[in-house]
């Protein structure tokens, strides 16, 4: 009997010692992971873990470090941010968990994304009581990774790189002015004025237009006659009208000499207060600010004139330097220069490109629909105009389109002064997953042509989906669709998909994702089949894509 009591006492003591010296198992019920399944953001897989240590679990001398692990199906194991907890008797700075009551905690962690959607998240434990290590089994707390945001690495491959634009305009509006000055109170054309440089250039331009109708086109000729604002209005009105008549007559005579028909629009201004104000502003007259204030204060022309005359010193300067410039007629030729037609540019490219301007050659490349033909034109531009770096940049855009990324980079290294080149170097960095370098290059690409689309891809990679969608407002591309899907704007995504010029396998896969999110499983299945048809690699990818788990493969 005594022996039996001793054995029972020993067993009870052993049980008590065991319960006090070991840590039990934890289950998935002790943890909540958000989100679950996990989801990629900015190239990583973040998670928030809300955990609970049960009552009488955390021994008073225990220290437990929770180590999150993301175990990918490809064998890669990524460890996340750890958190350490301690019992009541431990002296330390970690969160203390009460033995009797247990305790709750929240920890944030993040894993590197290993390019595999099929993954399981476990919590492992480094547990010790005093100096003795305790074995606590790992607990599975989440299953799978939604990696839709990582598809930007696919969509970026069909992004339009920034093309440095040409400045070619076949038809350019131009004008040429000539001025004829008159003596005070006179409307007679003086021979000396008709021989001044501006009038002689006016006559030469009329002849040139008449002799080269293919490259020059005359719109009209304007004759504007003026009188200075000194003197009475009635006198100036008559005087300006006479100056208009003699000037108009002169123009018509010159047109008749060369047998050129052109409309002549003539008008006059009795008192040229506007011209007066402009000349005063540009002058060095000491009291010009006073004169300008008078112009603004008095609306009546006679009152203006009298007040200005009161400023006797200034008026002498006006009489000598400003007013004579206003006694004039201005002759204006409004005309157009007409450049080569598309057909002429293409023909000249084939025959002798050295006779074309750089703008014409760059424009000629835009007339080609085949990428290799465009490349040949840009290579010609680089050869004929080696100091214009736009050609090298645009060669890089074609190499990017064709997947020759190293060749694209080499061309961009020659295009040092082109904002588009910085934008494209940023695009290449994004393609390689180097967001920091991409951001640095793109920041130096202010005003680059096509910058908005590349900025959209940068914001897509950074997880700024609303901003990316805004960047893509004028763009119909795979990246634009992805931004809209990630921003939950499925209506816009459907419209963008409809207008993509050359939809590829990625376009179809995005359509499948969009349809699945909207609950249109039949449409999703059809789009997925089309994606796999265009690129069989999507079959394996889709098999592990949680977003398509309910879609028939």
């Amino acid at each position: 009997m005594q022996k039996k009591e001793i054995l029972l006492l020993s067993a009870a003591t052993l049980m008590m010692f065991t319960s006090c010296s070991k840590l039990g198992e934890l289950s998935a019920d002790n943890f909540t992971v958000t989100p679950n399944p996990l989801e990629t953001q900015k190239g990583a897989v973040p998670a928030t873990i809300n955990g609970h240590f049960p009552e009488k679990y955390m021994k008073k001398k225990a220290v437990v470090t929770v180590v999150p692990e993301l175990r990918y199906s490809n064998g890669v194991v990524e460890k996340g941010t750890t958190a350490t907890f301690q019992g009541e008797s431990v002296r330390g700075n970690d969160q203390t968990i009460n033995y009797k009551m247990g305790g709750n905690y929240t920890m944030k962690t993040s894993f590197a994304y290993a390019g595999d959607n099929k993954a399981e998240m476990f919590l492992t434990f480094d547990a010790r009581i005093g100096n003795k290590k305790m074995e606590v089994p790992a607990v599975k707390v989440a299953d799978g990774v939604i990696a839709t945001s990582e598809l930007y690495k696919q969509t970026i491959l069909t992004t339009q790189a920034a093309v440095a634009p040409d400045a070619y305009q076949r038809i350019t509006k131009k004008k040429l002015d000539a001025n004829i000055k008159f003596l005070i109170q006179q409307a007679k054309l003086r021979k000396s004025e008709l021989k001044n440089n501006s009038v002689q250039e006016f006559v030469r331009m009329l002849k040139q237009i008449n002799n080269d109708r293919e490259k020059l086109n005359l719109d009209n000729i304007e004759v504007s006659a003026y009188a200075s604002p000194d003197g009475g209005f009635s006198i100036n009105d008559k005087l300006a009208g006479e100056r208009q008549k003699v000037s108009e007559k002169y123009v018509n005579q010159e047109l008749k000499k060369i047998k050129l028909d052109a409309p002549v629009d003539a008008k006059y201004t009795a008192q040229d207060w506007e011209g007066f104000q402009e000349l005063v502003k540009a002058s060095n007259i000491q009291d010009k600010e006073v004169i300008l204030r008078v112009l603004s204060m008095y609306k009546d022309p006679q009152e203006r004139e009298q007040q200005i005359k009161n400023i006797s010193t200034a008026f002498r300067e006006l009489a000598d330097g400003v007013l004579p410039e206003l006694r004039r007629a201005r002759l204006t030729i409004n005309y157009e220069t007409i450049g080569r037609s598309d057909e002429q540019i293409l023909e000249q490219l084939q025959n002798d490109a050295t006779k074309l301007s750089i703008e014409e050659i760059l424009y000629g490349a835009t007339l080609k629909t085949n990428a290799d033909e465009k490349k040949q034109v840009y290579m010609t531009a680089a050869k004929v105009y080696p100091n214009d770096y736009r050609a090298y940049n645009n060669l890089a855009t074609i190499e990017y389109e064709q997947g020759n990324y190293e060749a694209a980079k080499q061309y961009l290294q020659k295009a040092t002064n082109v904002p588009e080149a910085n934008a494209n170097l940023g695009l290449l960095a994004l393609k390689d997953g180097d967001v920091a370098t991409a951001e640095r290059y793109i920041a130096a690409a202010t005003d680059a042509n096509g910058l908005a689309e590349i900025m959209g891809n940068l914001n897509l990679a950074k997880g700024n989906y609303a901003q990316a969608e805004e960047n893509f407002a004028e763009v119909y591309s795979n990246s634009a669709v992805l931004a809209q899907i990630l921003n939950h704007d499925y209506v816009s995504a459907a419209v963008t998909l409809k207008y993509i010029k050359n939809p590829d396998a990625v376009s179809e896969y995005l359509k499948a994702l969009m349809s699945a999110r909207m609950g249109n499983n039949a449409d999703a299945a059809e789009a997925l089949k089309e994606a796999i048809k265009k690129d069989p690699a999507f079959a394996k990818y889709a098999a592990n894509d949680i977003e398509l788990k309910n879609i028939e493969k």
Side-chain angles (χ1 to χ4, degrees), residues 149-216:
S149 67
E150 288 296 298
L151 285 174
Y152 89 89
K153 294 176 181 176
Q154 294 282 334
T155 67
I156 200 172
L157 301 181
T158 51
T159 288
Q160 173 60 59
V163 177
D166 63 88
Y168 179 69
Q169 286 184 301
R170 189 180 181 213
I171 298 177
T172 305
K173 297 280 187 182
K174 291 192 173 184
K175 71 175 184 176
L176 183 141
D177 288 330
N179 283 299
I180 300 174
K181 294 180 184 177
F182 295 90
L183 295 176
I184 188 169
Q185 299 297 325
Q186 292 187 22
K188 181 180 178 180
L189 288 177
R190 293 174 291 162
K191 290 184 179 180
S192 60
E193 284 299 304
L194 299 181
K195 290 181 179 180
N196 75 45
N197 289 336
S198 70
V199 175
Q200 290 300 301
E201 181 60 28
F202 176 88
V203 173
R204 282 194 294 270
M205 179 55 71
L206 287 178
K207 292 178 180 178
Q208 186 178 346
I209 292 171
N210 192 45
N211 293 333
D212 193 356
R213 301 290 183 91
E214 184 179 348
K215 294 181 180 178
L216 298 169

Side-chain angles (χ1 to χ4, degrees), residues 70-78 114:
L70 192 57
R71 302 175 184 178
Y72 292 98
S73 65
N74 59 15
V76 175
V77 177
E78 293 288 347

Side-chain angles (χ1 to χ4, degrees), residues 192-327:
S192 60
E193 284 299 304
L194 299 181
K195 290 181 179 180
N196 75 45
N197 289 336
S198 70
V199 175
Q200 290 300 301
E201 181 60 28
F202 176 88
V203 173
R204 282 194 294 270
M205 179 55 71
L206 287 178
K207 292 178 180 178
Q208 186 178 346
I209 292 171
N210 192 45
N211 293 333
D212 193 356
R213 301 290 183 91
E214 184 179 348
K215 294 181 180 178
L216 298 169
N217 178 57
L218 180 63
D219 282 342
N220 74 330
I221 298 171
E222 296 178 11
V223 175
S224 302
Y226 302 88
S228 60
D230 53 322
F233 178 83
S234 60
I235 295 174
N236 284 338
D237 186 67
K238 181 179 179 181
L239 185 60
E242 290 174 353
R243 287 172 179 173
Q244 175 202 310
K245 289 178 183 178
V246 297
S247 301
E248 184 179 5
K249 182 179 178 181
Y250 169 73
V251 170
N252 283 319
Q253 287 173 343
E254 292 301 318
L255 290 172
K256 187 176 181 180
K257 286 179 185 179
I258 60 175
K259 299 180 180 179
L260 177 60
D261 291 328
V264 178
D265 299 327
K267 63 181 180 180
Y268 70 87
T269 301
Q271 293 184 317
D272 188 13
W273 286 107
E274 185 177 332
F276 178 82
Q277 185 174 11
E278 290 176 2
L279 289 176
V280 170
K281 279 184 180 178
S283 74
N284 294 320
I285 296 174
Q286 185 175 356
D287 294 323
K288 70 177 182 180
E289 296 301 329
V290 177
I291 297 170
L292 292 172
R293 278 200 299 273
V294 169
L295 288 176
S296 63
M297 290 171 60
Y298 298 96
K299 301 303 179 184
D300 180 72
Q302 291 182 340
E303 185 68 20
R304 278 180 176 177
E305 183 181 355
Q306 185 57 51
Q307 290 295 334
I308 290 172
K309 283 182 177 180
N310 292 338
I311 311 169
S312 57
T313 304
F315 190 78
R316 283 196 297 271
E317 292 183 70
L318 292 173
D320 294 337
V322 173
L323 296 175
E325 297 296 322
L326 299 175
R327 300 163 189 143

Side-chain angles (χ1 to χ4, degrees), residues 7-22:
L7 289 173
L8 289 172
L9 181 61
S10 298
T13 303
L14 181 61
M15 289 177 65
M16 183 179 299
F17 177 79
T18 301
S19 64
C20 292
S21 60
K22 289 187 178 182

Side-chain angles (χ1 to χ4, degrees), residues 428-444:
L428 285 171
L430 269 182
K431 181 199 72 68
D432 294 335
D434 188 349
V435 177
T437 299
E439 197 160 15
R440 188 168 67 252
Y441 275 122
I442 292 170

Side-chain angles (χ1 to χ4, degrees), residues 77-142:
V77 177
E78 293 288 347
K79 293 185 182 296
T81 308
T82 63
T84 301
F85 307 92
Q86 62 189 35
E88 296 170 72
S89 299
V90 177
R91 292 183 178 180
N93 296 321
D94 300 308
Q95 182 178 340
T96 299
I97 304 298
N98 186 275
Y99 171 69
K100 289 185 177 180
M101 299 178 62
N104 299 321
Y105 61 90
T106 297
M107 57 185 289
K108 292 183 179 295
T109 189
S110 184
F111 309 94
Y113 179 62
D116 185 6
N117 295 11
K118 194 173 182 180
E120 296 174 323
M121 179 179 170
F122 282 83
L123 297 181
T124 61
F125 307 92
D126 181 359
R128 298 176 184 275
I129 297 179
N131 294 323
K132 189 174 182 180
K133 184 176 177 62
M134 299 288 108
E135 293 296 328
V136 178
V139 180
K140 178 180 173 181
V141 291

